[in-house]
DNA sequence: ATCCTCCCCTAC
DNA sequence: TAAGGTAGGGGAGGAT
């Protein structure tokens, strides 16, 4: 009797067709393009005396290797020579045993030997690139120790491990990602979503493609305009068997054949003949009942490389994307494997997106080969029909990419998507409104997007097979099985309804990096080394999108109880349990050290057995944009200045702390003469290249030069000076040259175009600046803060309500705070966020005095013994400082009464 | 009622 | 041999 699967059991990823491929890598291709540049002439003689024969598919290909040899003094043989000028090396990436038997004692070497030698500009020892360690005709052995079996095998110095095999190899992460198709499609998907955002942002609303279309239509003298059949017409467009089509562009001889893009070349695997049955049995046992197993066609030697994409000829015999090559060959023995071409996919995707973008930017990117487009405007403006448009755009894409695509049209995204499915391959279909009901009635439920294998089992359990079957069932029955939202979605979908509109502006909510392949560790320290490189990886992705995070999740896969240590799939994860753990930090995760520190912590708390690890992932969520740095201010901070010089020499300085919390980015000083305090926060420059933070202001102030010099005054203790300062033409000039800090009051007096530039950088033009125009900056010019008038208070409450925290007046807030403090309550995150938003508001409205009294109140509290508010307080200060920075630039004038030094 | 966390599910 | 990633919607159930 099979037990009920636990929730967190990894089903081995095989339950749904996963899909994968073959071929050498993008990295190599890159190397290749580097070394081929300008290779028409002889470059060197490094291959003098070497004669190669290329056997089978290699990367670089035979043609390229031929050019390399010619350019670097070597010989290239078409057939193996024995005497005279004998063939010295066979170049191959993979050779079946039978082939090796015929080769005699000529070493079989990987093509990387050639490429690397050229890169190094000397002949490298080929032994390091041998495909096999010996030439035994019967037992070819891979040039690296088999994992698990020869645990103690150390790569010999003669033949160091060339390929990053498991995650203990420092090269592993990049090798893996360079060869992972799923990583590629995820990355490309994100890139194209980003591209649409960017194109929309930068758009001048000119659409050359559309203009041409309108022109040609009017040239043809056709003016009749049939009204559209629905308010909107949505197009869904998707490349046909994308990876295959790209691969066939330069393999015309393979057209019409069953093709699969996969890493597998021979269709075989498991050279050691290890037993796979145990894993297959366990996998079957753990399958939820009703799931069709995907391992049933696998025997001891069939390839478990996944098929990323297969041609429609292959689909005719039941092959699907994501199938194992071995299984596919069982049902389609003629299936031809072709290698991946990562660069090609990227190029074709790019052309696809840029082509559509010549007509409209009402695009929702779905993936590298697929998008939704609102074509209503195109059809209306050009006056062409859906069919004419479809033919036009499909033809253009075919012309530009050499790859076929299909398009579907409908009144909503669901209808468009279903239409595409019907149109494929290489077709187009408009699911017209009057046809929808009929079309849906017989449609199998699994054809609805979002209905996968788990959902279809539930639906089948309810006796439901087609969309029509859903017409007889109540929504509440459905809800019992599927839950609220899912039920509503399917209920609507079955009737052809889709309320979701296209989302053109994509916003990232999480960033992650996962590796569930090649994970084999002997001990914790190996695991932690890998975790650190994964932390760096995920940090790089975070910083690329200029964000910081508050939550980190460690995602581990561990070998399931009873699962064999040696997985059926080479270096796969086998049958696993999933363990995840997350933490929401009190500070922002914004450098690799933060991430690794927390990841390590989570790892240690999970107390797993390192040998049983099969997968590791890090996910970051609760993302926020890193505050933009103002270029003028960044420039200012980058050069020596005399910020605060007239203060620090003769006044007390409160080094690097506000409210007693150490922050190396913040410099605070107090001028006793004027009773104003200056707080400066340095801006971190170029986070990526260096984690070292620039502390210009902190060091410069010690120089004490230019004391009292009005023209070089950057930060002053007196607001009146600011105004004087900016009425001065030379000061304006100085600011222009990036040599000055800026206050909104100063900004107001600068030429409009400069104002605009600065404000746009801050992204505050519409908000803070307008506010400044309309209101007077009373709060911080007048030390006696007016208590809120009734009107103000109403406005404020309105604002607060908009931000989601009810009508909390300042007085009420004060009481709340006092109560917390009196009751020794620790504020919850949501409270802190609320306060933070409130603080930000106050800063933007320049209600500083009030704000400072709040901060001081808080500070006095955390200074008390046993107070547990530190996390909350630190978090608040982050809000507060960020708002300050945004509103005031790097320099802040603080009125009398703000306590910012050490409390005693 | 709404929010938070830990999952599960789906899609490419 | 093989490269089983990644983002987002949403549900269950406990906390607030
Ligand atoms: N399990 C999968 C599914 C897809 N892909 C990759 C290869 C596909 O070519 C590409 C696009 O996915 P599609 O779902 O659009 O499938 P195809 O384009 O291959 O075929 P179709 O004609 O059905 O769109 O994504 C993959 O690697 N593994
Ligand atoms: Mg496709
Ligand atoms: Mg697609």
């Amino acid at each position: 009797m099979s037990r009920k699967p636990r929730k967190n059991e990894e089903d081995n990823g095989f339950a749904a067709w996963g899909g994968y491929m073959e071929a050498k890598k993008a990295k190599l291709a890159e190397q290749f393009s580097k070394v081929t540049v300008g290779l028409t002439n002889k470059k060197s003689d490094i291959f003098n005396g070497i004669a190669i024969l290329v056997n089978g598919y290699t990367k670089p290909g035979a043609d390229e290797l031929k050019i390399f040899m010619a350019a670097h003094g070597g010989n290239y043989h078409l057939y193996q020579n024995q005497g005279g000028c004998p063939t010295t090396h066979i170049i191959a990436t993979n050779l079946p045993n039978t082939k090796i038997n015929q080769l005699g004692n000529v070493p079989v070497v990987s093509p990387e030997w050639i490429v690397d030698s050229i890169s190094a500009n000397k002949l490298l020892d080929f032994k390091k690139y041998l495909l096999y360690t010996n030439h035994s005709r019967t037992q070819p052995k891979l040039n690296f120790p088999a994992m698990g079996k020869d645990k103690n095998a150390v790569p010999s110095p003669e033949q160091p491990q060339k390929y990053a095999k498991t995650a203990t190899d420092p090269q592993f992460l990049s090798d893996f990602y360079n060869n992972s198709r799923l990583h590629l499609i995820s990355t490309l998907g994100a890139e194209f979503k980003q591209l649409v955002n960017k194109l929309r942002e930068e758009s001048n609303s000119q659409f050359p493609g559309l203009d041409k279309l309108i022109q040609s239509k009017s040239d043809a003298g056709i003016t009749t305009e049939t009204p559209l059949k629905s308010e909107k017409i949505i197009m869904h467009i998707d490349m046909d068997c994308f990876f295959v089509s790209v691969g066939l562009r330069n393999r015309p001889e393979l057209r019409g054949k069953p093709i699969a893009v996969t890493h597998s070349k021979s269709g075989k695997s498991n050279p050691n003949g290890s037993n796979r049955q145990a894993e297959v049995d366990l996998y079957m046992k753990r399958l939820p009942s009703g799931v069709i197993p995907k391992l049933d066609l696998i025997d001891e030697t069939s390839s478990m490389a996944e098929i990323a994409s297969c041609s429609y000829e292959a689909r005719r015999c039941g092959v699907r994307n994501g199938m194992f090559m071995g299984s596919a060959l069982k049902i389609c023995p003629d299936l031809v494997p072709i290698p991946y071409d990562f660069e090609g996919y990227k190029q074709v995707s790019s052309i696809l997106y840029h082509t559509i973008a010549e007509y409209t930017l009402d695009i929702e990117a779905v993936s590298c080969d697929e998008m939704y487009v609102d074509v209503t405007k195109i059809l209306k403006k050009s006056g062409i029909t859906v069919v004419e448009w479809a033919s036009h755009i499909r033809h253009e894409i075919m012309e530009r990419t050499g790859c076929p695509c299909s398009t579907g049209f409908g009144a909503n995204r669901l209808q468009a998507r279903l239409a595409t499915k019907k149109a494929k391959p290489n077709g187009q279909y408009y699911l017209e409104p009057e046809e929808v009901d009929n079309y849906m009635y017989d449609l199998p439920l699994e054809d609805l997007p979002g209905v996968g294998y788990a959902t279809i089992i539930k639906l089948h359990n309810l006796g439901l097979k087609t969309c029509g079957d859903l017409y007889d069932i109540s929504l509440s029955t459905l809800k019992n099985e599927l839950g609220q939202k899912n039920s509503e979605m399917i209920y609507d979908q079955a009737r052809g309804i889709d309320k979701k509109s296209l989302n053109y502006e994509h916003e990232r909510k999480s960033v992650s990096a996962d590796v569930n392949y090649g994970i084999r560790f002997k001990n914790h320290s190996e695991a932690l080394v890998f975790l650190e490189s994964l932390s760096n990886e995920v940090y790089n992705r975070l910083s690329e999108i200029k964000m910081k995070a508050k939550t980190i999740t460690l995602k581990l896969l561990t070998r399931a109880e009873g699962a064999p240590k040696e997985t059926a799939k080479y270096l796969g994860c086998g049958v696993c349990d999933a363990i995840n753990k997350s933490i929401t930090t009190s500070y922002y995760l914004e450098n690799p050290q933060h991430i690794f520190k927390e990841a390590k912590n989570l790892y240690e708390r999970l107390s797993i057995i390192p040998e049983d690890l099969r997968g590791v992932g890090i996910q970051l969520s609760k993302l926020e944009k890193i505050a933009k740095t103002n270029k003028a201010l960044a420039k200012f901070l980058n050069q020596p200045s005399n910020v605060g010089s007239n203060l620090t020499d003769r006044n007390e300085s409160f080094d690097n702390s506000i409210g007693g919390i150490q922050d190396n980015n913040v410099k605070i000083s107090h001028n006793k003469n004027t009773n104003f305090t200056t707080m400066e926060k340095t801006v971190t420059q170029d986070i990526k290249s260096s984690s070292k933070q620039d502390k210009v202001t902190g060091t410069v102030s010690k120089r004490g030069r230019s004391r009292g010099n009005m023209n070089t005054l950057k930060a002053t203790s007196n607001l009146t000076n600011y105004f004087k300062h900016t009425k001065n033409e030379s000061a304006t000039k100085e600011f222009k040259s990036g040599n000055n800090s800026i206050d909104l009051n100063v900004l107001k007096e600068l030429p409009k175009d400069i104002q605009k530039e600065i404000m746009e950088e801050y992204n505050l033009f519409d908000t803070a600046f307008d506010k400044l125009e309309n209101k007077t900056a009373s709060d911080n010019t007048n030390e006696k803060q007016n208590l809120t008038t009734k009107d103000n208070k109403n406005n404020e409450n309105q604002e607060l309500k908009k931000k989601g925290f009810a009508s909390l007046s300042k007085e009420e807030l004060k009481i709340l705070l006092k109560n917390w403090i009196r009751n020794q309550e620790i504020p919850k995150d949501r409270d802190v966020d609320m306060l933070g938003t409130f603080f930000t508001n106050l800063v933007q409205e320049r209600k500083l005095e009030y704000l400072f009294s709040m901060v001081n109140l808080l500070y006095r509290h955390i200074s008390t013994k046993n107070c547990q508010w530190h996390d909350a307080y630190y978090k608040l200060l982050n809000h507060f400082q960020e708002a300050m920075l945004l509103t005031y630039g790097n320099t802040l004038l603080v009125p009398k009464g703000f306590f910012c030094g050490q409390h005693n």
Side-chain angles (χ1 to χ4, degrees), chain A residues 570-598:
Chain A
Y570 176 66
L571 292 180
C573 63
V575 181
C576 283
D577 294 330
I579 314 172
N580 302 328
K581 193 158 188 67
S582 72
I583 181 169
T584 298
T585 51
S586 56
Y587 63 99
Y588 287 109
L589 300 164
E590 48 188 341
N591 67 38
Q593 292 76 29
H594 289 153
I595 295 168
F596 178 54
K597 186 183 132 212
E598 299 298 341

Side-chain angles (χ1 to χ4, degrees), chain A residues 505-516:
Chain A
E505 259 115 37
H506 177 76
E507 227 188 291
R508 259 279 228 155
K509 298 197 176 83
S510 70
V511 180
S512 61
D514 299 35
V515 179
N516 298 318

Side-chain angles (χ1 to χ4, degrees), chain A residues 237-243 309 312 315 321 367 369-370 404-406 420 424:
Chain A
I237 184 164
D238 187 297
M239 304 303 290
D240 296 325
C241 48
F242 184 44
F243 286 11
S309 180
Y312 279 79
R315 290 181 201 197
N321 288 1
S367 74
D369 88 325
E370 185 177 342
C405 66
S406 301
T420 305
K424 271 178 178 293

